[in-house]
């Protein structure tokens, strides 16, 4: 099964995971989270994330909150030499639900592509759609 790690600023990762768990039940078991603060350096954060990931024989998908932010930079540094690692930014609830529902049946690369696609598809101007 592909490992999932959420890396975000503040407590967003933990809160997103708790919300997904409310929707899906126990599907969030085994998913790891990492909170980044203004005191977290990229180098130290990358070391912490590598330790958090541990052994990832089936690969890992790391979901971060914003492209160019500390959380993403930490994830990219931590996975630069990991063959089966993908960092996807712009975390939203739809992406997380897709990841949780699909991680047992897809490879890490297939999962990363599906998460990205479903996340983009979930962004809709509902007002314009319904008028």
């Amino acid at each position: 099964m592909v490992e999932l790690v959420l890396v975000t600023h503040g407590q967003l990762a933990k809160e997103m995971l708790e919300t997904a768990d409310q929707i899906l039940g126990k599907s969030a078991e085994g998913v790891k989270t990492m909170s980044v603060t203004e005191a977290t350096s990229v180098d130290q954060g990358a070391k912490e994330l590598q330790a958090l990931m541990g052994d990832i024989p089936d690969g890992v998908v790391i979901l971060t909150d914003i492209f160019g932010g500390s959380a993403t930079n930490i994830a990219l540094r931590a996975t630069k030499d990991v063959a089966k690692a993908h960092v996807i930014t712009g975390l939203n609830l739809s992406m997380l639900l897709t990841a949780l529902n699909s991680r047992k049946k897809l490879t890490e690369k297939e999962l990363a592509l599906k998460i990205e696609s479903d996340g983009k598809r979930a962004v809709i101007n509902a007002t314009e759609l319904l008028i």
Side-chain angles (χ1 to χ4, degrees):
M1 175 172 52
V2 176
E3 297 294 324
L4 292 176
V5 182
L6 311 181
V7 182
T8 65
H9 294 86
Q11 299 301 311
L12 181 61
K14 289 179 184 177
E15 295 297 331
M16 291 280 284
L17 194 56
E18 284 181 22
T19 301
D21 203 33
Q22 289 175 12
I23 294 169
L24 298 177
K26 297 295 180 186
S27 296
E29 285 184 39
V31 178
K32 299 171 183 168
T33 64
M34 180 176 167
S35 296
V36 174
T37 68
E38 64 275 354
T40 308
S41 73
V42 173
D43 288 334
Q44 183 59 34
K47 288 177 186 173
E48 290 175 23
L49 180 54
Q50 286 171 334
L52 182 65
M53 287 189 303
D55 187 31
I56 49 170
D58 295 323
V60 62
V61 173
I62 300 173
L63 301 172
T64 67
D65 50 9
I66 189 167
F67 182 73
S70 301
T72 302
N73 293 335
I74 287 167
L76 290 171
R77 174 87 46 95
T79 60
K80 72 177 183 156
D81 296 323
V82 179
K84 291 183 173 185
H86 298 270
V87 177
I88 309 295
T89 68
L91 176 61
N92 63 42
L93 189 55
S94 180
M95 293 167 67
L96 181 54
L97 295 175
T98 291
L100 293 170
N101 282 325
S102 303
R103 68 185 181 136
K104 292 180 182 176
K105 54 191 168 202
L106 299 175
T107 67
E108 90 289 341
K109 185 171 185 167
E110 293 168 335
L111 182 60
L113 291 170
K114 182 165 180 51
I115 291 168
E116 180 185 11
S117 175
D118 286 2
K120 288 177 181 178
R121 211 174 23 247
V123 177
I124 299 166
N125 183 337
T127 301
E128 292 299 317
L129 180 68
L130 297 175
I131 290 179

